[in-house]
Amino acid sequence: MTSEDLNVSRETFAKLDAFVKLVQKWTAKINLISRQSEAELWERHILDSAQLFALAPPFETWVDLGSGGGFPGIVVSILAQEKSRDQRFVLVESDLRKGTFLRTAIRELGLNAKVISGRIEEIEPLNADVLSARALAELDVLLEFAERHLKSGGTALFPKGSLWETEHQKARMRWSYECDPIRSKTNPDAAILKIKDISRV
């Protein structure tokens, strides 16, 4: 993987590379990512996360739910530095060890981000312009989280695997929302669901 592949500056690529090394170091201790996906870290996690940043509308506050190993929260924070230093990122992670990892990454990489350690359904509403969640829950549950933490007029970006259409149909039974499914660049069967105007049926 090169800076040209990601269409970023060499400085940004160097930060992403530093983050990759942090993930590898900490995974040995706290299992941030699966062993089998370590070999594909750039493609499966970095590039997969980076495509969300390209789809985001203009924003001030981006909230990433269940940030885990920092995908996409840390990755989009790094990419934002190249464009604007005013955008803020909030990473929500209830696992204290992963929260410690995220805070370490934020400090070492000098990112404009903070970590909230708590349960998504219990913390104060975060009023996000953009809300993301990767590999966290079914769409039906994610929409509940979005109802709580996404500001009016905000956009949710939810990467989903090959069963995204099934989840979408199930969610329609409880929720009304505008959904633009965008084919994933890293998996032709997957999609990023760009969602707005969420309300209960």
Side-chain angles (χ1 to χ4, degrees):
M1 190 71 66
T2 67
S3 56
E4 287 79 15
D5 293 327
L6 285 164
N7 194 26
V8 297
S9 68
R10 274 181 287 182
E11 292 78 10
T12 296
F13 186 81
K15 276 204 174 181
L16 289 169
D17 191 48
F19 175 56
V20 164
K21 289 179 171 62
L22 269 176
V23 171
Q24 290 169 330
K25 177 182 171 184
W26 279 67
T27 289
K29 301 182 226 173
I30 64 168
N31 199 28
L32 292 171
I33 59 174
S34 70
R35 293 289 180 201
Q36 87 182 65
S37 73
E38 265 196 89
E40 313 166 280
L41 211 161
W42 278 97
E43 173 86 9
R44 190 158 168 189
H45 295 292
I46 301 293
L47 190 59
D48 195 50
S49 296
Q51 63 180 332
L52 269 67
F53 187 73
L55 297 175
F59 66 92
E60 291 181 5
T61 302
W62 181 312
V63 173
D64 184 41
L65 302 177
S67 294
F71 308 108
I74 296 291
V75 175
V76 293
S77 300
I78 292 170
L79 296 175
Q81 279 195 324
E82 190 172 317
K83 312 289 183 186
S84 163
R85 294 193 172 268
D86 298 328
Q87 294 167 325
R88 299 182 305 277
F89 295 82
V90 179
L91 282 53
V92 181
E93 176 54 56
S94 61
D95 184 302
L96 296 180
R97 296 176 308 161
K98 290 177 180 177
T100 299
F101 162 73
L102 294 169
R103 289 184 181 93
T104 301
I106 288 166
R107 184 179 67 252
E108 293 192 10
L109 300 170
L111 304 176
N112 188 15
K114 71 173 184 178
V115 178
I116 294 177
S117 296
R119 294 182 62 78
I120 295 163
E121 62 272 29
E122 294 173 357
I123 60 175
E124 290 295 311
L126 295 171
N127 212 29
D129 299 302
V130 174
L131 187 77
S132 59
R134 182 174 179 262
L136 179 65
E138 283 203 7
L139 182 58
D140 185 43
V141 175
L142 293 179
L143 291 169
E144 279 193 31
F145 295 158
E147 184 187 43
R148 181 174 182 82
H149 295 293
L150 190 64
K151 72 160 54 167
S152 176
T155 300
L157 295 172
F158 296 144
K160 282 291 170 186
S162 59
L163 298 178
W164 71 265
E165 289 181 87
T166 302
E167 289 191 35
H168 175 50
Q169 293 304 320
K170 180 181 173 184
R172 285 288 191 200
M173 297 169 69
R174 289 183 59 209
W175 300 94
S176 169
Y177 54 94
E178 180 186 317
C179 179
D180 181 15
I182 297 149
R183 180 170 290 185
S184 170
K185 291 180 178 178
T186 57
N187 179 351
D189 296 325
I192 294 101
L193 305 186
K194 190 172 185 178
I195 291 175
K196 298 183 72 171
D197 301 328
I198 301 163
S199 62
R200 290 179 185 263
V201 171

